[in-house]
Amino acid sequence: MKNFEKWQGCGNDFVIIDSRIDGEIDSPEKISRICDRHFGIGADGVIYVLNSDVAEVRMRIFNADGSEAEMCGNGIRCFTKFLLDGRDKTNLSVETGAGILKMNLRGNLVTVDMGEPILDAAKIPVAGYGNNRVINESIEVDGKNFKMTCVSMGNPHCVIFVDDLSEINLSEIGPKVECHKIFPKHVNAEFVQVIGENKLRMRVWERGSGITLACGTGACATAVAANLNGLTKNYSSVILDGGTLQIDWRDDNHIFMTGAAEKVFEGNFI
């Protein structure tokens, strides 16, 4: 019998399991069953709390298909609130697949220093661009041409700006962007519409999970892409299907993401 808590940030929901005592990680098949919304607990991913030799704690996160992700912005906010909720402590350092990140808790809001965006195509990775930046470059998907800007926040993102988000069939085009031949490790696909000054409306197809209500790293990548294309300043409100995240790309090149996280329920499973 294993205990868990379910948390959500902007509708992006996660099963969190504290494995600091035994260090146990479930198999990809079991993680998929846990995330199944009909036969399991139901979630966009499973997060494990682990001991760390380089930070206060370590986070490992797995997508709904059982594959491991390097990072998750909404997930790490839930992770932080899970660990700090009800305690006097308000700061936390977390080892992730994208490096050590620092968190700050203020009431129901968690601010995460997401680190610096990676814009080098070879490091994102995006094939065919060498070490150059991929900003407003053409990508053909299903016979249609789009303009993409690619960013890594420890995990890869392809941000596509459109005039009318309602015209995008995300369930159809999302997986085709994810698995496009120029993305050797696949990619998270964000479709974005500018709806006001420093205000962006974003929908996301997440690598390994499909359509989700929110993506924190995707919101960060979107804010960076919008700034690089001259569409916003360094501060943006990113409106997702499940809520709004505030993204601040500061002068030290670090990106700070602020948003809420809340507990949904707790229980145990076999």
Side-chain angles (χ1 to χ4, degrees), residues 122-148:
K123 294 179 180 177
I124 293 174
V126 187
Y129 290 88
N131 296 316
N132 297 311
R133 294 183 173 190
V134 184
I135 301 173
N136 200 35
E137 296 285 348
S138 294
I139 180 173
E140 185 175 317
V141 184
D142 210 19
K144 298 178 182 178
N145 189 267
F146 297 95
K147 293 293 186 178
M148 66 175 176

Side-chain angles (χ1 to χ4, degrees), residues 102-219:
K102 296 180 179 179
M103 261 57 61
N104 177 261
L105 177 64
R106 292 179 291 111
N108 195 44
L109 295 177
V110 180
T111 296
V112 185
D113 179 352
M114 298 287 288
E116 301 183 41
I118 297 167
L119 302 175
D120 184 324
K123 294 179 180 177
I124 293 174
V126 187
Y129 290 88
N131 296 316
N132 297 311
R133 294 183 173 190
V134 184
I135 301 173
N136 200 35
E137 296 285 348
S138 294
I139 180 173
E140 185 175 317
V141 184
D142 210 19
K144 298 178 182 178
N145 189 267
F146 297 95
K147 293 293 186 178
M148 66 175 176
T149 297
C150 297
V151 181
S152 172
M153 292 302 307
N155 56 352
H157 295 270
C158 173
V159 182
I160 296 172
F161 293 97
V162 296
D163 293 329
D164 187 353
L165 197 55
S166 67
E167 294 182 355
I168 299 298
N169 185 340
L170 189 58
S171 62
E172 180 178 307
I173 200 166
K176 294 176 181 178
V177 176
E178 177 192 353
C179 300
H180 196 283
K181 62 183 179 181
I182 66 170
F183 302 119
K185 293 187 177 180
H186 293 187
V187 77
N188 298 281
E190 286 84 25
F191 288 86
V192 186
Q193 180 180 344
V194 179
I195 59 173
E197 185 176 1
N198 300 317
K199 188 177 290 187
L200 306 167
R201 176 71 174 95
M202 180 194 106
R203 296 198 71 209
V204 60
W205 175 276
E206 288 200 58
R207 179 184 61 167
S209 291
I211 295 174
T212 61
L213 295 179
C215 175
T217 54

Side-chain angles (χ1 to χ4, degrees), residues 82 100 184:
F82 168 83
I100 298 173

